[in-house]
Amino acid sequence: MLSPNYYLALSSVLFTIGVLGVLVRRNPIIMFMSIELMLNAANLAFIAFARYHRLLDGQVFVFVVLTVAAAEVAVGLGIIVSIFRLTGGDINVDDLDEMKG
Amino acid sequence: MIAELVIFIILGTFAVATAIAVVLSKNPVYAILFLVMNFFVLALFFLLLSAQFVAFLQVLIYAGAIMVLFLFVVMLLNLTGGIEAMQDKLPAQKWLALLFAVLALVEAGIVVMTTTFPRVSTPIPQGFGNVEQIGKLLFTKYLFPFEATSVLLVIAMVGSIVLARRRA
């Protein structure tokens, strides 16, 4: 196996791209996908460490992260759909600053 | 070793390129397809790191189920384009975001570069990363987190049903 440094470097690059996506884009769907990107970067680090230490615990953690991502997407997309029902048009997250539901 | 480095560089380039494409795509449908590609590349990385079960979960659940959900929502709602063209309330925020992202990357880079991992020569255990081993761990050592995830999934299901219900 390559040294974990390689995988950690790749993981941090992917994570930064995800952070950038959340901060720069205004489309809620793309912001969501950037969050998925960050979760996956963390998964890569988990798997790399699991392999390095020869312990399967890291892979079980990835399993949990996968479940959390699924739950988060289900609820998040539900919220996006209900916002769409209220506004009936393109959603810009900058316009959603009232918190009145 | 050299072969693994070559594979790493090729796959890594693909992973970074598709991730950048996700963030830069104007059309959300393209972004979703790039993200699916990114997930496939990461699944290949997982295979390289002898995590076969997780690699297949990645393809089945992430690329298969979650991204289809995304695709459905984008196609159901007319979310394609037009959003970024609207008036930007916080124009300075984008540049600040870029600055801080670069700072975070530099910081992570310093940490990664200065940490050295001693070489481990113990061989990979038999059946490392297969369904049997992970299942055993999941139902013994990590039984409580496993049950907690099922509660989390129930909460997510109830939540999305409540959100999807028509307002009374």
Side-chain angles (χ1 to χ4, degrees), chain A residues 1-10 12-14 16-30 32-34 36-37 39-41 43-44 47-57 59-82 84-86 89-97 101, chain B residues 1 4-5 8 12 15-16 19-20 22-26 28 31-32 35 38-39 42 45-46 48-51 54 57-58 61-62 66-67 69-70 73-74 77-79 81-84 86 88-90 93-94 97-98 101 105 108 112-113 115 117-120 122-125 128-129 133-134 137-138 141-142 146 149 152-153 156 160 163-167:
Chain A
M1 179 202 173
L2 289 173
S3 145
N5 294 74
Y6 290 90
Y7 292 100
L8 292 182
L10 179 66
S12 47
V13 168
L14 289 178
T16 313
I17 294 171
V19 171
L20 211 54
V22 171
L23 291 177
V24 170
R25 297 302 300 261
R26 291 288 179 276
N27 187 333
I29 296 273
I30 292 190
F32 239 111
M33 286 192 279
S34 304
E36 300 300 316
L37 223 53
L39 287 171
N40 257 299
N43 282 352
L44 183 62
I47 297 276
F49 276 122
R51 168 70 192 260
Y52 175 72
H53 291 291
R54 273 96 171 123
L55 286 173
L56 276 176
D57 302 48
Q59 300 193 6
V60 175
F61 272 48
V62 172
F63 186 83
V64 176
V65 171
L66 222 66
T67 325
V68 171
E72 171 224 325
V73 166
V75 175
L77 289 179
I79 292 174
I80 291 177
V81 170
S82 52
F84 184 82
R85 281 220 199 106
L86 279 177
D90 280 333
I91 305 169
N92 185 335
V93 286
D94 273 351
D95 296 335
L96 307 174
D97 51 3
Chain B
M1 193 66 186
E4 203 186 347
L5 187 64
F8 178 87
V16 172
I20 290 174
V22 170
V23 173
L24 293 184
S25 295
K26 286 269 172 277
I32 289 170
L35 193 56
N38 190 41
F39 286 162
L42 277 173
F45 269 121
F46 293 172
L48 202 63
L49 291 167
S50 50
V54 177
L57 276 187
Q58 172 93 356
I61 297 181
Y62 252 124
I66 296 183
M67 296 327 286
L69 205 62
F70 268 105
V73 170
V74 169
L77 316 180
N78 185 23
L79 280 174
I83 297 164
E84 321 276 341
M86 287 179 194
D88 201 345
K89 281 185 183 172
L90 300 161
Q93 191 247 0
K94 282 185 181 174
L98 202 61
L105 186 61
V112 169
M113 291 308 154
T115 316
F117 294 93
R119 285 196 71 76
V120 178
T122 47
I124 302 287
F128 184 78
Q133 300 286 324
I134 291 185
L137 209 55
L138 211 54
K141 192 176 173 189
Y142 291 103
F146 180 74
T149 24
L152 180 74
L153 283 178
S160 49
L163 281 170
R165 212 181 40 182
R166 287 232 165 264
R167 223 159 266 268

